[in-house]
Amino acid sequence: MEYHYFDNAATTRIASGALEAYNRTSLDCFANPSASHSEGHRSAALLSRCRQSAASALCAQERSVFFTSGATESINIVMSSLLCSKRPGRILISAIEHEAVAAWTGFLREKGWTVDTVPARGGFISPSDVYDMTDSQTRLVAVMAVNNVLGTIQDIRSIAEAVRARERESGRPILFFCDCVQALGKTGLRPGQLDIDAASFSGHKIHGPRGVGILYLKKGTIQVPSHAGGQESGIRGGTENLPAIAALAAAMEALDIADQQKVTVWNRLIRKTCSECGIEVLSPDRDCTPYILSIATRLPSEVALRMLQDRGCLVSAGSACSNNARGKAEAVYRAAGFQKAAGNAIRISFSQDNTDEEVEELAGALRSLVS
Ligand code: PLP
């Protein structure tokens, strides 16, 4: 059956340019970049060009860009760096972080850390809450740039300022970590232009391949439990996945913020359809990416999802790349204050690959769902 794919916040179709870069590198530049022979040097040169290109897309220095196997690994490197501290301290995470960040809560608490959660009323983190909740024991603050369930865009500049103000007052460094997975390509956010210490990015959310991502580290260094292999300056050991890195660089180069215009038109059309049919729109209409739209019908999420699928439209009941995806998304809806709608919510997520016709089909499917 032909389908219309509206689950791009979960993963995207690889772009043809990225796939070409993957194939070309796999066949023509497959030597290990650490090898001392001429082909190894050629691979090392390609790796360096990919790093330059990714750094320029992030407005960052090359030494701040580390290739990883994806955002989850980038996040794990940052969070596991806490375990290198002499004494446990305190961390602050937002109430709507992705499971890759939130799942560290239990483990860190077991290790003696205090983990506090910053509220996210309506899906937004207030910089003054971050300021009030940060103290001299705080070692890390984690606030994502764009939420993967609601699409809300955080005021990262002001949040970073709040963290820095507290840092100055206490005279102790605080690592400000920003999960930028859903921001790349959807907003103009560039970590190099903000006062962010560490950030995570993922290839498969931006029409690149799976199994590749970026860890951005402003100062280019962080304490890690193991330097095994020494690749990526000892931050992330293991033979570099050069075909995937080349494909990620190609996908990043192809990102075009101008695509946002047509996505905004589609977002408006679906919002209008919802208001005509009495479907509740959960994603706010300000400070929210048009690529992600959460709505709640009167049906349980799974039923609405199945009925839309029967009409050829694939949406999500939440963040499909975490286990027990629906439960995780529900937690975000609840944290944002949508207690009643949480069990009925579905997420529509667009990409530049969608078409006007597909979005009209989706609008029709939503109408028939209600009738
Ligand atoms: N952070 C956010 C906001 C995400 O949406 C995702 C995936 O859904 C991740 C992190 C994990 O990304 P990856 O699949 O590259 O590990």
Side-chain angles (χ1 to χ4, degrees):
M1 183 190 172
E2 206 187 299
Y3 62 85
H4 308 306
Y5 185 76
F6 295 106
D7 195 16
N8 291 282
T11 199
T12 54
R13 186 203 304 259
I14 191 166
S16 56
L19 188 56
E20 260 170 49
Y22 190 96
N23 290 337
R24 203 174 45 244
T25 310
S26 304
L27 295 171
D28 299 339
C29 204
F30 62 86
N32 191 321
S34 302
S36 322
H37 48 67
S38 56
E39 283 305 298
H41 293 160
R42 217 157 66 79
S43 291
L46 175 59
L47 180 61
S48 161
R49 285 199 300 281
C50 293
R51 201 181 310 280
Q52 275 164 21
S53 150
S56 116
L58 303 180
C59 292
Q61 310 246 0
E62 281 163 51
R63 63 182 169 78
S64 294
V65 173
F66 301 88
F67 292 111
T68 63
S69 67
T72 301
E73 189 187 20
S74 303
I75 293 164
N76 285 348
I77 294 172
V78 173
M79 301 307 271
S80 61
S81 76
L82 294 171
L83 302 173
C84 300
S85 305
K86 286 200 188 80
R87 273 182 300 282
R90 192 163 169 254
I91 73 162
L92 210 56
I93 71 170
S94 93
I96 52 169
E97 289 303 295
H98 187 270
E99 185 57 10
V101 174
W104 277 86
T105 304
F107 179 71
L108 286 170
R109 281 186 181 145
E110 267 172 37
K111 297 281 165 206
W113 286 74
T114 304
V115 182
D116 289 323
T117 309
V118 193
R121 286 173 289 273
F124 293 103
I125 310 332
S126 132
S128 62
D129 281 349
V130 171
Y131 179 82
D132 291 343
M133 293 181 73
T134 305
D135 67 17
S136 61
Q137 298 306 308
T138 309
R139 298 282 157 271
L140 176 140
V141 174
V143 178
M144 72 200 318
V146 174
N147 180 257
N148 52 302
V149 178
L150 286 163
T152 45
I153 302 172
Q154 307 304 330
D155 181 357
I156 293 299
R157 189 177 294 278
S158 304
I159 293 171
E161 277 166 14
V163 173
R164 294 303 164 231
R166 277 300 195 208
E167 201 175 47
R168 280 192 301 276
E169 283 162 24
S170 71
R172 301 184 71 168
I174 303 169
L175 194 98
F176 178 43
F177 168 63
C178 185
D179 180 3
C180 294
V181 165
Q182 299 289 350
L184 190 58
K186 297 189 179 85
T187 67
L189 183 140
R190 305 275 179 277
Q193 292 175 334
L194 295 169
D195 209 347
I196 297 173
D197 295 307
S200 47
F201 298 89
S202 175
H204 71 104
K205 308 285 182 175
I206 58 153
H207 303 276
R210 316 259 164 101
V212 68
I214 289 177
L215 169 62
Y216 163 84
L217 289 175
K218 189 178 185 185
K219 295 208 179 86
T221 180
I222 199 170
Q223 270 194 295
V224 288
S226 156
H227 296 282
Q231 289 92 343
E232 298 299 297
S233 308
I235 296 287
R236 196 270 179 180
T239 304
E240 300 87 345
N241 186 354
L242 195 53
I245 291 170
L248 169 64
M252 285 173 86
E253 271 169 34
L255 287 174
D256 187 356
I257 202 81
D259 285 328
Q260 190 143 333
Q261 279 168 12
K262 63 181 184 187
V263 178
T264 303
V265 173
W266 297 335
N267 183 297
R268 286 205 192 114
L269 174 70
I270 299 300
R271 280 178 185 270
K272 184 164 167 281
T273 306
C274 289
S275 83
E276 286 163 2
C277 305
I279 296 175
E280 189 182 355
V281 176
L282 306 179
S283 297
D285 53 13
R286 58 159 192 103
D287 297 329
C288 196
T289 170
Y291 287 84
I292 298 177
L293 183 61
S294 269
I295 62 174
T297 68
R298 297 216 175 96
L299 302 164
S301 307
E302 299 297 340
V303 175
L305 185 141
R306 198 64 59 83
M307 288 175 74
L308 288 172
Q309 177 177 290
D310 289 346
R311 288 163 178 78
C313 296
L314 304 185
V315 300
S316 153
S319 173
C321 56
S322 49
N323 285 336
N324 185 12
R326 183 163 164 219
K328 311 294 193 258
E330 267 198 49
V332 170
Y333 292 124
R334 286 183 201 286
F338 301 116
Q339 273 83 0
K340 263 171 75 190
N344 302 24
I346 52 173
R347 179 188 69 184
I348 296 159
S349 49
F350 303 103
S351 91
Q352 77 248 19
D353 287 351
N354 290 123
T355 63
D356 292 347
E357 292 70 33
E358 281 185 319
V359 179
E360 276 170 20
E361 295 256 353
L362 174 64
L366 285 168
R367 269 190 219 104
S368 67
L369 195 89
V370 173
S371 64

